[in-house]
Structures are given as structure tokens and as C-alpha cells.
Amino acid sequence: MNFPVVEFPWLGNGTVIAIIAIVHVIVSHGVAIGITTLMVSMEHRAIHTNNEQLEQTARKISKWVLIFTTTVGAMTGVGIWFSTTVIQPDSIGSLLRIFFWAWFVEWIVFVTEVVLLIIYYFTWDKWKGAKKVIHNRIGIALAIFSWITAAIITGILSAKLTPGRWTETLSFWNAFFNPTYMPSLAFRTFIAIILGVALLSFPIKIFIKNKELQQEIFRVFSFWTAISLPGLLITGIWYLQSIPQEAYDMIVWSTGMTKNTFTIMNVLGLAAFVIFAFWMVLRPKKLPLLLSLAIFGTSMAFIAEFEAVRESVRKPFIIYNYMYANGVLAKNEDLYREEGYLKHSTFSPVKEVTSDNRAQAGMELYKGQCMACHTVDGWREKRAFSNRLNGWDEESIASYIETLHETRPFMPPFVGTEEEKKALAHYLSKVTKKEPVTAVSEGK
């Protein structure tokens, strides 16, 4: 441990990050890119068809885009920074050394995006007549800058999955333009549009009663859906072909589905969107509310799946082939096994296992190598400890720790001496039995 540990005991550290990240993706992709693109397209059509009602609908949507982007989007963006910095400081520190200027440029782009959004929203009444075209161009610029934000962040995120040569060269360009960058960016672009369609379709069916207006709106949606659906399929396959085979196998392992089941579920989801797209084109006035709701649910499932896949493909790493999920550098495995993990743990009060401090040493090992994903209480405790280790003796737990990364390949290997492994087993035995762990003073 190079940094002090922070624990969210009931939910677990990983779950806290996941909740914030999923909400942020829905806003940053579905709202900032997807809905913004649809909104600007609706205004463009309204200008060329002189449809005042369609223009007013786009104006109402811009209000909610402004609210969600500057509140939920901004707060969860900052929330990701805060949560990952305190939970995974080693990972963030490593990435900052390579991507500092990329993150700085992304901040400038995001500020520009917010400024354009404010200008766009507050100039609806000021730019009338011929100036409507200028207003629409501001909206186009807004959509482009929203996409550029995602384009920069995708380079950083995809580097964590398939770093390629950057872990050897520490080159920004090797890291940013990694093998999965282009397919990941293309896939994110199309899924953002699909998500935007799904997020808007349901409220439009509920709140807009004018069938003619619904028809105009769904014509815009059908245009973007016709582009995005095949794009989503092609780029999804491209992405899966770009990741290492070990990473692809990890998707199947972590989801608990066979490759065929995984494929069938995605084909069914895409089929639902195809039906939705054809219905929007052929009978937009009679688009069923239930189908709109189903598409909303399907899009949420796609986002959840995408985030799950993104996390699964890099396990047991947090940065693929470079740093394990618990912050241990892969290059330090042999060093820790020979000299001990605790000796090199900056913030551990215990540096060596003795007969007096076995439980406390085990707790420090747990903090450094387990706590990133597990909790000793809360909902994750029952799955990992109470249910799995119940009735096991310390020797059995120690044997399980030794081969854990082989039987459960999405988990990092334990790195430490034999005595440290036994100390961790001793601590986990106490946790399973709900026995208290008493700290031993350094002078004892």
C-alpha cells in the first residue's frame, strides 16, 4: 500500500465506483452526445420545414440537457475523480503520469461544451428568422465538442484495457492510440445515439399527444437509428476482435454465460431496436408505449453490458498486464513473494508477521490485496466469506489463497511470503467466524 486505504464497507469500493460511473455514462453518452445530436437535428428539420412545434420541442429538450449536463453529469464526473483517487490512487497516479495533458485538454473541451450549451439555450429568442441557422450551427458545434470529450476519455479508458507497448515505452502516443481505441470510440458513438433515442422516446410518447408532431420527431429518430444500428453491430464485432483472446474469454467467465448465450442476448437486443426503427418509419403515429419502454430497458441493458464488458476484459488487472486490480504492479510479484508484501507497504503498521500480530498482519494484507473488491461486512461479505469460506479451517483457506487466481482467473494472485499467506488465512478465518481482531502495539 503506497497510500492510505479508504473503505466503503457495505457496498464495497468497486461498487461505489461502478454506480457513479454508470450514471455518468448515461448522462455523458445518452444526454450530452445522444440527446444533443437528436435535439440539434430536430431544430434543423424544424427550420427547413418551418415547423414551429418541432422547434419548441427541441427548445424544451435543451432545457433538460442543460440541467442534466451541468448537474448530474458534472457532479458524477467529479465523483469519479474523487472515488477513484481515494480508492485506486495507484492506478490514477500511473495514468496521470502518461495522460496529464490529455485530461487537461479534456477539461478545456468540457468547459467549452458547457459554454456552448449555455449560449445555445439562452439564445432561442434572440436569434430569429435567418439567424436561426446560426443558432443551429452553435448546436452542431455543441454536439461536436460533446463527442470530442468522449474521444479524449476513450483513449485513456481503452489504454487500461489493452495498453500494448505503452507499459514498456511509457509513450503517450502508444498508450492513447492503443489497439482498441478506434473500435471503442466508434462503438461508444453509436451506442450514445441509440441511448439518446431510447431516453427520449418514452417521455415523448407520454407527454406529447399531438400525433403529427410525434411523427416528425420519430422521423428524426429513425434517421439516426438507421445509421447507428448497423454501426453498433459492426463496431461491436470490431471491438471484440481487437481485444486479447484472454480478455474475450474473461467476458464469458465473468458474465456466467456461454459464448452462444452472450451472442443470442445481444442479437435479441438489436432485433428489438430494428423492430422499433421500422415501426418509427412505417407507423410513427401508432408507436406502442410498451415498445418505447422496452427499448428504454434494452438500452440500459446495453450500457450495463458495455460497462461490465469493459471491466471484465481487463481482470484481474486494473491496467491490463501492468497493474492488478488491487494496485499491485505485476513486475513486483517476485519481489513481494521473496521479501514480503508488508515490508514494502508504506502505510502498514505491521512490517513482519509474528506470533503476536498474525491477525493484524492478515488484516493489513486484506486491506492491500483484497479490499479493492471485497468487504468483511455488507452484501459482498456474504458472497465472498460467510458463504464460501464457512466451515473452512485456516489450512484450507491458505491452500485456496495459493490457487485462487487459477480457480478464479478474474482475481489477482496473492503476492507475499508463506507466513503472510497464513496470516491472511488466519484473518479471513476470524472474519468468517465474526471474531474481533485486536491490534497489537508496535512495541510488543
Side-chain angles (χ1 to χ4, degrees):
M1 293 180 289
N2 295 318
F3 299 91
V5 295
V6 176
E7 182 181 18
F8 295 91
W10 197 87
L11 283 173
N13 290 355
T15 306
V16 169
I17 295 175
I19 291 171
I20 299 172
I22 289 174
V23 174
H24 183 71
V25 166
I26 291 172
V27 177
S28 64
H29 286 47
V31 178
I33 298 176
I35 292 182
T36 296
T37 301
L38 298 173
M39 170 187 71
V40 174
S41 300
M42 288 164 60
E43 184 194 17
H44 183 269
R45 181 170 178 81
I47 292 172
H48 285 78
T49 60
N50 197 27
N51 190 325
E52 184 67 26
Q53 287 184 317
L54 187 58
E55 182 180 336
Q56 288 303 312
T57 302
R59 178 176 181 168
K60 290 177 182 177
I61 292 172
S62 68
K63 174 184 176 180
W64 293 105
V65 172
L66 177 64
I67 291 173
F68 277 101
T69 302
T70 56
T71 55
V72 180
M75 287 189 295
T76 52
V78 173
I80 290 174
W81 267 106
F82 274 112
S83 60
T84 54
T85 300
V86 299
I87 293 173
Q88 286 283 3
D90 292 290
S91 171
I92 295 299
S94 297
L95 293 174
L96 274 172
R97 295 185 187 98
I98 303 297
F99 295 111
F100 173 82
W101 289 110
W103 261 312
F104 178 79
V105 171
E106 189 273 336
W107 181 79
I108 298 297
V109 172
F110 176 72
V111 171
T112 305
E113 176 189 344
V114 172
V115 170
L116 287 170
L117 180 55
I118 292 172
I119 294 172
Y120 183 78
Y121 177 71
F122 285 102
T123 53
W124 280 99
D125 293 327
K126 294 183 179 179
W127 289 344
K128 294 290 187 181
K131 289 187 176 181
K132 285 183 178 181
V133 176
I134 299 175
H135 184 266
N136 188 239
R137 287 174 180 171
I138 294 293
I140 294 172
L142 167 62
I144 292 172
F145 271 85
S146 299
W147 179 83
I148 293 174
T149 300
I152 296 172
I153 294 298
T154 298
I156 301 170
L157 294 177
S158 57
K160 296 175 72 175
L161 310 185
T162 50
R165 293 179 56 208
W166 82 267
T167 56
E168 301 172 6
T169 65
L170 298 181
S171 164
F172 167 81
W173 299 110
N174 287 154
F176 193 86
F177 293 106
N178 59 83
T180 63
Y181 174 67
M182 289 305 297
S184 183
L185 177 60
F187 184 81
R188 283 177 179 271
T189 301
F190 291 121
I191 204 169
I193 301 297
I194 291 295
L195 184 57
V197 171
L199 290 173
L200 278 182
S201 296
F202 188 58
I204 283 172
K205 285 297 298 181
I206 294 177
F207 297 111
I208 295 180
K209 305 302 181 183
N210 187 323
K211 295 297 183 181
E212 298 296 331
L213 180 57
Q214 278 189 13
Q215 180 172 331
E216 288 297 304
I217 294 171
F218 286 129
R219 278 177 179 168
V220 174
F221 288 6
S222 62
F223 169 79
W224 283 107
T225 303
I227 295 174
S228 299
L229 278 180
L232 194 65
L233 179 61
I234 294 169
T235 56
I237 295 172
W238 184 17
Y239 177 79
L240 291 176
Q241 293 296 319
S242 301
I243 62 177
Q245 183 61 43
E246 297 85 354
Y248 183 80
D249 293 340
M250 192 58 65
I251 298 173
V252 178
W253 178 280
S254 61
T255 57
M257 295 187 292
T258 64
K259 292 182 180 180
N260 289 337
T261 304
F262 183 76
T263 302
I264 290 171
M265 294 296 290
N266 282 278
V267 169
L268 290 175
L270 286 172
F273 269 101
V274 170
I275 294 171
F276 181 70
F278 275 105
W279 210 308
M280 282 193 297
V281 173
L282 301 176
R283 304 187 69 183
K285 294 181 181 180
K286 294 186 177 182
L287 187 68
L289 181 62
L290 186 60
L291 181 57
S292 299
L293 180 60
I295 289 302
F296 176 80
T298 303
S299 65
M300 293 295 103
F302 270 130
I303 284 292
E305 179 194 65
F306 179 69
E307 289 301 303
V309 167
R310 187 172 68 83
E311 291 300 312
S312 299
V313 295
R314 63 183 176 187
K315 288 180 177 179
F317 300 96
I318 189 72
I319 302 175
Y320 202 83
N321 281 347
Y322 178 73
M323 180 183 290
Y324 286 112
N326 52 19
V328 173
L329 290 173
K331 67 178 184 179
N332 290 337
E333 284 186 64
D334 292 336
L335 175 67
Y336 292 161
R337 288 194 175 101
E338 181 180 345
E339 298 183 4
Y341 176 82
L342 294 175
K343 178 182 177 180
H344 297 277
S345 182
T346 305
F347 284 89
S348 172
V350 178
K351 299 301 179 183
E352 185 179 359
V353 180
T354 67
S355 58
D356 293 327
N357 69 7
R358 289 180 67 212
Q360 188 179 1
M363 181 172 64
E364 295 302 323
L365 288 161
Y366 161 80
K367 289 180 180 178
Q369 299 198 39
C370 310
M371 199 172 71
C373 300
H374 297 288
T375 63
V376 295
D377 55 14
W379 73 280
R380 292 186 68 87
E381 179 271 338
K382 291 180 174 58
R383 185 174 66 177
F385 299 131
S386 294
N387 293 342
R388 187 171 298 278
L389 302 182
N390 188 31
W392 289 28
D393 57 28
E394 291 184 25
E395 185 177 347
S396 298
I397 295 175
S399 298
Y400 184 58
I401 292 171
E402 180 70 29
T403 59
L404 188 63
H405 61 291
E406 297 172 357
T407 56
R408 304 177 71 78
F410 53 84
M411 295 183 67
F414 172 77
V415 290
T417 64
E418 184 69 19
E419 287 302 313
E420 287 180 336
K421 181 182 69 177
K422 292 178 180 178
L424 178 57
H426 178 64
Y427 172 72
L428 294 180
S429 177
K430 280 183 167 291
V431 166
T432 304
K433 298 172 184 176
K434 306 297 182 183
E435 295 178 2
V437 176
T438 306
V440 178
S441 64
E442 200 171 334
K444 239 186 172 183

